[in-house]
């Protein structure tokens, strides 16, 4: 069984996970989507997929696109050699 088939969001309106902005009343929508992710048995696999896929709109694995972008930045910094060691 693929991890997506066990996702808590499977029977939730998909629009919840694709807010149109990151300010104002939409923040409540983001919180609601993250709450679904918070009780999801496959949130870790979902997040892993979204991080590996790159730029993916919406809430995946309990994170927003900007949160995942920040995570990728941290991972990139960890894998790049230190300038002083060059």
């Amino acid at each position: 069984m693929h991890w997506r088939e066990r996702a808590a969001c499977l029977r939730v309106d998909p629009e919840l996970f694709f807010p149109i902005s990151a300010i104002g009343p939409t923040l409540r929508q983001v919180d609601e989507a993250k709450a679904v992710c918070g009780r999801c048995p496959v949130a870790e696999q979902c997040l892993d997929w979204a991080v590996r896929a790159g730029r993916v709109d919406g809430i995946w694995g309990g994170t927003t696109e900007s949160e995942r972008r920040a995570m990728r930045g941290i991972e990139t910094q960890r894998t790049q050699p230190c300038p002083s060691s060059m």
Side-chain angles (χ1 to χ4, degrees), residues 30 34 59 62-72:
V30 170
K34 286 182 172 189
I59 308 296
T63 63
T64 64
E65 181 184 345
S66 62
E67 291 168 337
R68 290 188 302 278
R69 194 171 30 249
M71 293 169 79
R72 284 191 302 273

Side-chain angles (χ1 to χ4, degrees), residues 2-84:
H2 193 272
W3 65 264
R4 288 186 185 194
E5 295 172 12
R6 297 187 353 228
C9 62
L10 197 58
R11 294 188 184 12
V12 178
D13 183 355
E15 288 188 25
L16 177 65
F17 300 91
F18 297 94
I20 58 171
S21 73
I23 58 171
T26 321
L27 292 176
R28 184 175 22 235
Q29 180 180 350
V30 170
D31 289 343
E32 289 176 22
K34 286 182 172 189
V36 173
C37 297
R39 61 180 182 269
C40 182
V42 294
E44 189 174 317
Q45 291 96 324
C46 179
L47 175 58
D48 181 58
W49 175 85
V51 169
R52 285 185 291 114
R55 185 180 169 104
V56 179
D57 293 332
I59 308 296
W60 292 86
T63 63
T64 64
E65 181 184 345
S66 62
E67 291 168 337
R68 290 188 302 278
R69 194 171 30 249
M71 293 169 79
R72 284 191 302 273
I74 291 168
E75 289 174 8
T76 302
Q77 289 174 0
R78 287 182 187 161
T79 59
Q80 291 180 348
C82 215
S84 62

